Amino acid sequence: MISQRYQLYIERTDASRNMARFYAMSIEPNLFGEACLTRRWGRIGTKGQMMTHHFEREKDAVILFLDLLRQKRGKGYGTVLRTQR
């Protein structure tokens, strides 16, 4: 059973390079009680690609989650601040 919900959505944009990318991750339980790390990425405004990793222990999913977050932050991805209109 997952003790805490993990979710992340970050973007990387650079108008001079016509770059507009997103990266999203979440850890959720599947029907068998395993922890599943689901990753989605692609160009902002598209469906993008998806990959799911299955783990017997939540700890292993969290370790990969944090490692991927570190990698993406190092490449310039950041949180998105949106204003309501």
Side-chain angles (χ1 to χ4, degrees):
M1 185 56 124
I2 303 294
S3 62
Q4 179 178 333
R5 187 177 176 111
Y6 296 86
Q7 282 189 303
L8 174 74
Y9 179 86
I10 52 180
E11 291 181 355
R12 180 178 179 195
T13 57
D14 184 347
S16 67
R17 296 172 56 195
N18 193 26
M19 180 190 303
R21 300 177 183 167
F22 75 91
Y23 195 84
M25 293 189 290
S26 65
I27 299 176
E28 298 176 10
N30 67 7
L31 293 174
F32 305 107
E34 298 174 322
C36 293
L37 170 61
T38 303
R39 304 189 292 160
R40 289 187 326 112
W41 67 92
R43 185 162 178 84
I44 295 171
T46 67
K47 183 178 164 185
Q49 299 180 50
M50 186 174 89
M51 180 182 288
T52 302
H53 304 268
H54 302 273
F55 299 91
E56 290 183 18
R57 299 181 314 159
E58 178 183 355
K59 178 181 177 182
D60 296 330
V62 172
I63 289 170
L64 180 57
F65 183 98
L66 294 175
D67 186 46
L68 291 167
L69 173 58
R70 238 179 268 109
Q71 289 176 26
K72 294 302 174 186
R73 293 266 190 214
K75 291 184 178 183
Y77 282 81
T79 55
V80 181
L81 299 175
R82 302 211 188 256
T83 58
Q84 290 184 333
R85 294 180 186 189

